[in-house]
Amino acid sequence: MPERERSIRVEAVVLRHSDWGEADRLLVLFTKERGKARALAKGVRKMHSRKAGHLEPFTRVSLQMAQGRDLWIITQAETIESYLRIREDLVRTAYASYVMELVERFTYEDGVSTPLYQLVNETLKRVDSEADPFLAARFYEIQLLDLVGFRPQLVHCVGCRAEIMPRDQFFDAGMGGALCPDCGVKSTTSRSVSMQALKFLRHLQRSNYKEAARAQIPAGIQRELEALLQWYISYLLERNLNSPEFLQKVRRMEPDNGNYLTGK
Ligand SMILES: [Zn+2]
């Protein structure tokens, strides 16, 4: 086995952190160079820690890390992007938490993916800056599924291979795609999907973000898409996600929560 370097510089997004010992924090990072990694930030919970502000969740950072016995130890940290609006707005915080949760769940340590790293950062920027982060979140889900090998098949029926026609259909989580009505009624791992929702899913799958963002998605279809994708993703991960519930709670709290649903 090659000897691991003693000290490395990486660029990373902080996925989450938890308290560790008296004054330290354990960070889960998604690094550009090494995929997911865990690192210890020593003394950051002490007053006047200079590193602390750079190591909050969602922050994009440049880090110098030294090889510890079991974990990397962060020796220097500089912020590249702090995404202030994500921090100041609870709905954006909830969306960003969802982005972070999916990266953590779909990646593994030392699994490098430059396209995914790029997608995560572009998505954080959109969640920080778009009037309504809804589309950024759906685009992220579809593109992430593609990058991690679960691209849903939306053109041909995953049961009988027949071309999916423009009408209401089914979506099968177990088989990973659209089912025609004949196959759909026989499946136990499917749910119905409207023709319109399916049309937007296809649009998200084949467009770049700029093209995708032009779509005017009615509020009812937005809710259908969100529910469908989260149901499929939860199925793939074999457990429920935590952050969608957080987003639902925040939406109920916000006086103008309707804005986030309708995009107005
Ligand atoms: Zn079929």
Side-chain angles (χ1 to χ4, degrees), residues 73-256:
I73 313 285
I74 296 171
T75 52
Q76 275 178 45
E78 275 166 61
T79 300
I80 301 172
E81 306 238 20
S82 54
Y83 302 117
L84 281 179
R85 291 180 77 193
I86 289 178
R87 266 158 238 297
E88 288 162 0
D89 175 331
L90 263 185
V91 171
R92 290 179 202 280
T93 307
Y95 270 108
S97 302
Y98 180 60
V99 173
M100 302 291 90
E101 187 177 13
L102 293 197
V103 190
E104 185 173 358
R105 303 283 284 279
F106 275 109
T107 58
Y108 47 93
E109 297 202 12
D110 295 326
V112 183
S113 171
T114 312
L116 183 56
Y117 184 79
Q118 196 177 339
L119 175 68
V120 168
N121 280 293
E122 285 167 356
T123 305
L124 284 176
K125 191 172 274 184
R126 287 166 195 149
V127 169
D128 189 68
S129 63
E130 297 278 339
D132 179 353
F134 174 87
L135 196 87
R138 303 293 83 79
F139 185 77
Y140 171 68
E141 290 165 327
I142 287 287
Q143 301 295 325
L144 172 130
L145 288 170
D146 207 339
L147 291 173
V148 299
F150 293 106
R151 178 189 173 93
Q153 164 60 258
L154 303 172
V155 179
H156 294 99
C157 171
V158 288
C160 69
R161 312 302 303 158
E163 194 184 337
I164 289 292
M165 304 309 275
R167 52 178 289 197
D168 291 352
Q169 308 283 351
F170 289 82
F171 186 93
D172 192 304
M175 295 169 88
L179 274 186
C180 73
D182 291 340
C183 296
V185 291
K186 293 179 223 150
S187 161
T188 54
T189 52
S190 72
R191 60 190 266 167
S192 59
V193 54
S194 70
M195 180 190 87
Q196 256 195 310
L198 197 61
K199 194 182 93 185
F200 284 117
L201 282 178
R202 285 193 194 182
H203 178 62
L204 289 173
Q205 201 171 53
R206 61 169 181 245
S207 307
N208 60 36
Y209 185 72
K210 210 174 152 191
E211 291 157 359
R214 286 197 208 109
Q216 297 291 320
I217 310 180
I221 303 297
Q222 288 197 12
R223 283 190 290 273
E224 185 184 349
L225 286 171
E226 181 173 325
L228 177 77
L229 284 164
Q230 283 168 7
W231 168 77
Y232 178 45
I233 288 168
S234 297
Y235 177 91
L236 293 174
L237 294 169
E238 296 179 324
R239 59 181 276 196
N240 285 327
L241 295 155
N242 302 316
S243 46
E245 197 183 324
F246 175 38
L247 179 59
Q248 295 305 333
K249 259 188 214 155
V250 170
R251 275 178 180 155
R252 284 196 293 270
M253 275 161 50
E254 295 271 312
D256 59 347

